């Protein structure tokens, strides 16, 4: 048995290592390891819960807002703070923007080059590319001149011997199967999306002052609404938000989704591998901010063994984290799981000293804990949410899925795959982009009725808090279900646990030896060449890894890295 190691996996956030046991070219077992330790849970202890969001938000710079929202929701839950509707709507508009931004950036800038070969794009005929593009969409930029310009730009780079952002690809790998024109079309959209993404995040700057890491507040939003003010959220700024929402919808409908379909035609076999577990979990995205209201934008749902008919509601007591194969120590013993309310964060590195050849996968081998639901290993994220919408018949997703799969001549089971996951991400982007129109209209209606309320300060003073309080903040983040669990004692944070999407998906094995979604999804993949493990990248990238989120842990010993 040969062990293929991919470390670091690039075009992701953070430090991920994959070790795969390969026999006769086929992966029999795979191991996923987060190799960097960092984090926030420990430094949050003892702090004022009203400022926790600002620290928690720094867990990640990719899903820039979600840890702030989860943290705020957890603290508001603990302190029973009711948020004004306008603040919830503004938060939703920011969440929607993040989803559209994050998913488009993932598809083009982190995942597309697993399928698109920029070197081949140089051989394309711009005229034919334009004709091809118009078959898929009415996107106005799709002229021969536009595609010719893109080609010239890339040719210039190649002539200088600099592929720049396109260097270091496996460009001779026979798994690249798109015709030159399609490579050029997708390459052009890669470049287009770079500009587009800088623009649409203005929604965050309008409501949160900046991006990444906008400003928030426990109890509401810190952006005043006042149609008579130049500096507050006024009609001009809302008009800008409206046009950005329109632009997002246009890009998703005319570029992102058509590109997914165009690409899918040439990689049909990737709709039949790369699933892994068959168990899917959505902890839920509340329609307002509190899960206690029982109103859901994405309802909490557990789907076991692909069974979309008998899906289950979620019991939050059943979320538990194992550390049997993780570099931590539990007071109850390393084989027992802990619920996040009782969660512990104590480092215990037992791995080899670098440089090392292999991890000890029989022992501890990752900085990620291993969250499990009812003891099951589950997948979270876009596919889990699209299956939830499908099972519960929400947002017309059955029809959307039906149209796309019919166009590609694929069965429903094609969703349970590497490209199914990638397609699901696109489909949910449309759901979010579309929902933003509704949230925006409701906000505008409130403002027209002179309701400018964005903040509830009733419980701002710690003297008004219970001495001992616990809160849960739920947030469906782009990569999946995020939950923050806070315990507040005497006005300070006593314990803080974040259970994060990539921690669910990329975790190591648990006490029973059950692999995570990443680990299971690679089994059965045939590697054309172990030195160019493109197949591993395709499936792992389809999850959109974020290891910074996943290992949100902080080294306890002071370590001087550099004096500036
Ligand atoms: Ni750093 Fe994140 C998202 C969260 S994933 S990207 O989406 O939470 O682990
Ligand atoms: Mg954690």
């Amino acid at each position: 048995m040969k062990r293929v190691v991919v470390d670091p996996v690039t075009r992701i956030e953070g430090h991920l290592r994959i070790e795969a046991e390969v026999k006769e070219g086929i992966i029999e077992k795979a191991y996923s390891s987060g190799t960097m330790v960092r984090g926030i849970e420990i430094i949050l202890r003892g702090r004022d819960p009203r400022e926790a969001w600002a620290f928690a938000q720094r867990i990640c710079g990719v899903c820039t807002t979600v840890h702030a929202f989860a943290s705020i929701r957890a603290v508001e839950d603990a302190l029973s703070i009711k948020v004004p509707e306008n603040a919830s709507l503004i938060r939703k508009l920011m969440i929607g923007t993040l989803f559209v931004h994050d998913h488009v950036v993932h598809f083009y800038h982190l995942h597309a080059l697993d399928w698109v070969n920029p070197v081949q794009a140089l051989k394309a005929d711009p005229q034919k590319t334009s004709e091809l593009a118009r078959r898929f969409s009415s996107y106005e930029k799709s002229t021969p001149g536009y595609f010719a310009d893109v080609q010239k730009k890339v040719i210039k780079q190649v002539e200088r011997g600099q592929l720049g952002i396109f260097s270091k690809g496996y460009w001779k790998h026979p798994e690249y199967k798109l015709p030159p024109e399609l490579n050029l079309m997708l390459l052009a959209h890669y470049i287009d999306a770079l500009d587009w993404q800088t623009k649409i995040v203005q929604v965050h700057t309008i409501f949160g002052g900046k991006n990444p890491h906008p400003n928030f507040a426990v109890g509401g939003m810190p952006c005043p609404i006042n149609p008579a003010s130049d500096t507050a959220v006024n009609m001009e700024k809302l008009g800008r938000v409206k046009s950005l929402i329109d632009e997002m919808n246009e890009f998703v409908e005319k570029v992102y989704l058509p590109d997914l379909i165009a690409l899918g035609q040439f990689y049909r076999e990737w709709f039949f591998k790369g699933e892994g577990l068959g168990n899917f979990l959505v902890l839920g995205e509340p329609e307002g901010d509190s899960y206690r209201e029982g109103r859901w934008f994405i309802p909490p749902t557990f789907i076991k063994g692909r069974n979309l008919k008998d899906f289950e509601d979620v019991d939050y007591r059943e979320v538990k984290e194992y550390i049997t194969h993780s570099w931590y120590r539990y007071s109850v013993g390393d084989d027992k799981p802990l619920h996040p309310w009782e969660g512990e964060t104590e480092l215990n590195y037992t791995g080899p000293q670098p440089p090392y050849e292999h991890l000890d996968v029989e022992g501890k081998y990752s900085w990620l804990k291993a969250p499990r639901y009812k003891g099951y290993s589950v997948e979270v994220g876009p596919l889990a949410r699209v299956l939830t919408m499908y099972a519960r018949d929400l947002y017309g997703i059955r029809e959307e899925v039906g149209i796309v799969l019919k166009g590609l001549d694929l069965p429903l089971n094609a969703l349970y795959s590497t490209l199914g996951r990638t397609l699901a991400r696109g489909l949910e982007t449309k759901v979010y982009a579309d929902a933003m129109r509704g949230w925006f209209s409701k906000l505008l209606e409130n403002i027209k009725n002179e309701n400018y309320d964005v903040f509830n300060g009733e419980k701002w003073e710690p003297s008004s808090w219970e001495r001992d309080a616990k809160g849960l903040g739920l947030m469906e983040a782009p990569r999946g279900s995020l939950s923050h669990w806070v315990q507040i004692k005497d006005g300070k944070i006593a314990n803080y646990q974040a259970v994060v999407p990539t921690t669910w998906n990329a975790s190591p094995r648990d006490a029973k030896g059950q692999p995570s979604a990443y680990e299971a999804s690679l089994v059965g993949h045939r590697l054309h060449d172990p030195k160019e493990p493109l197949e591993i990248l395709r499936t792992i990238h389809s999850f959109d890894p974020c290891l910074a989120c996943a290992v949100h842990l902080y080294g306890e010993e002071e370590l001087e890295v550099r004096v500036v």
Side-chain angles (χ1 to χ4, degrees):
M1 191 91 62
K2 190 178 158 55
R3 191 86 70 89
V4 174
V5 177
V6 188
D7 182 11
V9 177
T10 58
R11 292 184 195 278
I12 64 164
E13 208 296 333
H15 298 59
L16 173 67
R17 175 183 176 99
I18 298 290
E19 294 198 6
E21 287 177 4
V22 178
K23 197 170 163 193
E24 290 165 12
I26 295 176
I27 296 178
E28 293 204 333
K29 279 185 183 163
Y31 301 88
S32 161
S33 170
T35 57
M36 178 189 64
V37 64
R38 55 184 300 273
I40 308 288
E41 286 171 353
I42 294 170
I43 62 166
L44 280 169
R45 287 185 204 148
R47 289 195 181 270
D48 186 323
R50 291 168 299 183
E51 65 178 21
W53 66 266
F55 290 88
Q57 185 166 211
R58 268 68 186 177
I59 286 174
C60 187
V62 175
C63 54
T64 57
T65 54
V66 303
H67 293 284
F69 284 128
S71 176
I72 283 172
R73 286 173 173 176
V75 171
E76 287 167 350
D77 182 46
L79 304 177
S80 306
I81 295 173
K82 214 170 146 19
V83 179
E85 188 187 32
N86 288 341
S88 285
L89 290 166
I90 290 172
R91 289 177 182 181
K92 272 287 187 292
L93 289 171
M94 297 179 81
I95 290 167
T97 303
L98 173 76
F99 262 77
V100 178
H101 178 271
D102 206 344
H103 284 354
V104 167
V105 166
H106 172 259
F107 178 65
Y108 290 99
H109 307 133
L110 304 178
H111 197 25
L113 297 183
D114 298 335
W115 316 96
V116 176
N117 188 331
V119 177
Q120 288 292 320
L122 303 182
K123 297 182 189 148
D125 174 348
Q127 175 68 39
K128 280 195 197 143
T129 308
S130 168
E131 286 160 19
L132 174 79
R134 294 214 159 111
R135 280 220 304 273
F136 285 101
S137 143
S138 61
Y139 191 47
E140 58 186 27
K141 281 192 186 169
S142 301
T143 61
Y146 168 64
F147 291 116
D149 283 348
V150 169
Q151 225 174 11
K152 270 184 225 144
K153 239 189 232 174
V154 178
I155 286 171
K156 242 192 222 160
Q157 282 203 327
V158 173
E159 280 170 353
R160 283 200 224 112
Q162 298 173 316
L163 268 174
I165 48 177
F166 306 125
S167 65
K168 300 262 193 278
Y170 305 135
W171 306 132
K172 297 198 170 118
H173 200 293
E175 265 291 336
Y176 283 101
K177 292 190 173 155
L178 301 185
E181 280 72 26
L182 198 44
N183 279 310
L184 179 57
M185 179 175 109
L186 287 157
L187 182 66
H189 295 161
Y190 178 116
I191 294 167
D192 201 8
L194 280 174
D195 279 338
W196 172 90
Q197 56 103 15
T198 61
K199 190 163 55 173
I200 61 140
V201 292
Q202 284 173 13
V203 173
H204 284 187
T205 65
I206 288 168
F207 293 124
K210 63 195 181 73
N211 174 288
H213 300 150
N215 296 311
F216 297 104
V218 166
M221 278 299 293
C223 55
I225 298 174
N226 183 352
S229 162
D230 282 345
T231 49
V233 172
N234 54 31
M235 285 307 166
E236 186 200 334
K237 286 182 185 156
L238 287 167
R240 179 78 189 133
V241 171
K242 164 92 173 49
S243 67
L244 288 165
I245 293 171
D246 289 343
E247 282 184 51
M248 286 183 225
N249 274 282
E250 194 198 3
F251 198 87
V252 172
E253 278 163 29
K254 291 194 178 169
V255 186
Y256 181 19
L257 284 174
D259 282 358
L260 277 172
I261 292 162
L263 187 142
Q265 291 183 339
F266 289 87
Y267 290 111
R268 289 181 59 83
E269 71 276 22
W270 286 91
F271 282 104
F272 297 95
K273 60 182 161 195
E275 176 197 22
L277 299 170
N279 302 325
F280 300 90
L281 180 70
V282 170
L283 290 179
E285 173 66 25
E287 182 60 57
D289 277 283
S290 169
Y291 71 96
R292 290 181 198 271
E293 290 174 9
R295 293 187 304 125
W296 298 98
F297 177 56
I298 312 284
T301 306
F302 175 42
I303 294 167
K304 199 163 58 182
R306 292 188 179 187
N307 187 345
L308 298 184
K309 290 217 171 66
D310 304 314
F311 59 82
E312 297 175 19
D313 292 336
V314 168
D315 179 349
Y316 297 112
R317 290 168 301 187
E318 294 289 349
V319 172
K320 291 182 184 159
E321 291 190 295
Y322 284 89
I323 49 109
T324 318
H325 290 279
S326 315
W327 289 311
Y328 300 94
R329 189 181 287 118
Y330 272 176
S331 60
V332 291
D334 289 3
D335 283 343
K336 299 221 172 54
L338 285 177
H339 185 269
W341 289 132
E342 281 80 47
E344 296 174 4
T345 305
E346 194 188 336
L347 312 191
N348 176 26
Y349 185 70
T350 58
Q353 292 304 316
Y356 52 82
E357 204 179 345
H358 296 311
L359 290 165
D360 170 19
V361 294
E362 300 304 317
K364 293 176 183 281
Y365 62 91
S366 178
W367 283 113
L368 275 63
K369 291 179 179 176
R372 296 293 184 261
Y373 180 73
K374 283 190 169 173
Y376 289 93
S377 197
V378 297
E379 172 173 345
V380 299
L383 179 55
R385 284 186 292 253
V386 164
L387 293 172
T388 291
M389 293 180 226
Y390 197 98
R392 294 181 181 269
D393 197 10
L394 299 172
Y395 310 119
I397 204 84
R398 287 187 185 173
E399 202 185 342
E400 288 288 332
V401 167
I403 292 168
V404 172
L405 292 181
K406 187 156 181 261
L408 290 166
D409 193 20
L410 290 167
L412 183 63
N413 280 353
L415 285 177
Y416 302 106
S417 65
T418 298
L419 271 186
R421 191 174 292 118
T422 297
L423 180 64
R425 187 174 289 105
L427 292 172
E428 82 162 0
T429 309
K430 187 157 184 281
V431 170
Y432 272 80
D434 196 42
M436 287 178 76
R437 293 186 157 135
W439 296 323
F440 181 82
S441 302
K442 185 73 189 106
L443 178 64
L444 205 63
E445 187 189 313
N446 289 352
I447 294 170
K448 283 186 178 150
N449 291 330
E450 297 184 21
N451 169 3
Y452 306 149
D453 199 8
V454 288
F455 182 70
N456 171 8
E458 279 167 31
K459 292 259 189 130
W460 187 252
E461 287 307 322
S463 56
S464 66
W465 304 347
E466 307 253 327
R467 281 202 59 190
D468 201 339
K470 295 203 277 200
L472 166 59
L474 292 177
M475 160 88 228
E476 282 298 318
R479 286 154 197 79
S481 301
L482 172 63
S483 54
H484 282 209
W485 311 71
V486 66
Q487 266 181 298
I488 300 168
K489 281 209 172 93
D490 297 324
K492 300 273 188 254
I493 292 173
N495 196 5
Y496 201 100
Q497 294 288 323
V499 185
V500 179
T502 297
T503 320
W504 285 98
N505 285 339
S507 62
R509 282 159 168 75
D510 54 36
K512 284 188 237 153
Q514 298 181 107
S516 64
Y518 281 23
E519 295 180 326
S521 67
L522 292 171
V523 173
H525 281 32
R526 176 181 289 282
L527 299 183
H528 171 76
D529 176 1
K531 290 203 189 65
E532 297 201 334
L534 178 64
E535 298 86 352
I536 292 179
L537 294 182
R538 284 183 175 174
T539 292
I540 292 299
H541 281 161
S542 75
F543 289 95
D544 192 4
C546 179
L547 274 290
C549 276
V551 288
H552 42 273
L553 214 282
Y554 187 77
E556 280 174 292
E557 282 149 39
E558 295 280 328
L559 178 71
E560 195 172 273
V561 178
R562 184 186 298 159
V563 180
V564 181

